[in-house]
Amino acid sequence: GENYAAVQRQAEDENEPEEGDFARVRLVGRTIQGRQECEVLERFDSGNDAHDVDRIILRHNLPGKHKEYPDLITDIDKLPESERAKRKDYRKLLTVTIDGEHAKDFDDAVSFKKDGGRYILYVHIADVSAFVAKGSTLDREAERRGTSYYLGNRVVPMLPESLSNNLCSLRPDEDRLTLSAELTYDRDGNLTNSYFTRGLIRSAKRMTYTMAHEMIEHPDGTVLSDMINDLYAFTQLLKKKRLGRGRVDLQMTDYELLFEEDQFSDIITAPRYKSHFLVEEAMLSANEAVSKILREQQVPSLYRVHEPMSMESLSSLMTFLATFGVKLDTSKELGNALQDAVEKVEGKPFSHVVSFVILRSMMQAFYGERPMGHFGLGFTDYTHFTSPIRRYPDLIVHRCLKSFIDG
């Protein structure tokens, strides 16, 4: 570090910085005439976008690299007996992960079975709480971070990479610990039973959204293809049912940043594949079922709460929609009326504007200790359970669920 700074200082003597250049500096702890003395570590011109992510990290005071944690568990065999014992072995069950092309932390895997007139959906979530002990140094750091930050093709992770990209990542052909939900539904998509347990899985394949979408579009008769297609048909049934219960499905466009050899190259409209809907519905199902059992069993927990729209916002929204000739049907539940409005403008050039204004008219969701439901999703019960590698609230919910499992 010192040699590098010395080289930089030498370069600065030869080539004075120009006004508008950027520099990464270290405060040296002295002031000269009331001004803070700094040591220049690195200087770059304002047009150099290779430093954009570093500038964002510094400007928003995002966390740096993880330090060493003396209590970090790096081997499954070193887990306490309480976390290794009493696990249901799912390794013979066909299980897959479905994620983006560049994902490294696979925190959810799915399985599906048709059993006579029943459907069984398995959602396996990385058992992060087995590795991150409550109150440990790592736990306090994860709580301080709260989330992982995804910046272009880089990530500032909530957990060290030895966990997020390895031991807690549900990688194919490797034994991994999970907190698993077995959700049983009747032929109409009604949840009839939910069972939660510590699990042990072995993912058969790391699928991308593109691969899974192609498998849905062009079934090939393999066992994997049959499972993916059965699961897609089932999640379509769930989605139709949920839209009838007041869910608002906005027509929003996502964007994706493209990089070539770490250099930003383009922004494109992110494709929405059938596999995205499959995974979303499966995760919603798990979040809803976990929230429901914790509420019913009166286990203290965190919930993801989305309150109904205020009357003031609703009035403004109705005035706005009227300019497009869209009238809300006040005889219906508000969620259903809003969904009707979204569908009325679908395909029109201003449809994304309508969806955006509806979204901005809604209340902001928050984490709370009381189960108050989720207006936008039309759920009586909702929490965050499916992403404990990248969201600290999910890790809390895992611990709460384990307290229920352990009685």
Side-chain angles (χ1 to χ4, degrees), residues 107-158:
D107 48 16
D108 55 87
V110 291
S111 318
F112 185 70
K113 277 184 184 177
K114 287 199 293 188
D115 180 18
R118 302 185 310 160
Y119 303 113
I120 307 174
L121 170 64
Y122 301 84
V123 178
H124 309 281
I125 307 299
D127 191 357
V128 174
S129 61
F131 296 90
V132 183
K134 186 178 176 183
S136 64
T137 311
L138 173 55
D139 182 47
R140 289 197 299 272
E141 177 62 19
E143 181 182 8
R144 187 180 74 82
R145 293 178 179 229
T147 184
S148 294
Y149 300 87
Y150 296 89
L151 304 166
N153 64 339
R154 282 173 57 185
V155 61
V156 179
M158 184 179 85

Side-chain angles (χ1 to χ4, degrees), residues 7-8 84 94 115 146 150 171 205 223 225 243 245 249 253 321 333 351 362:
V7 171
Q8 285 297 108
R84 282 188 289 135
L94 177 60
D115 180 18
Y150 296 89
R171 305 200 298 198
K205 193 172 182 67
V223 176
S225 175
L243 286 171
R245 276 165 40 188
D249 212 22
T253 304
L321 291 175
E333 289 286 334
S351 65
M362 290 184 182

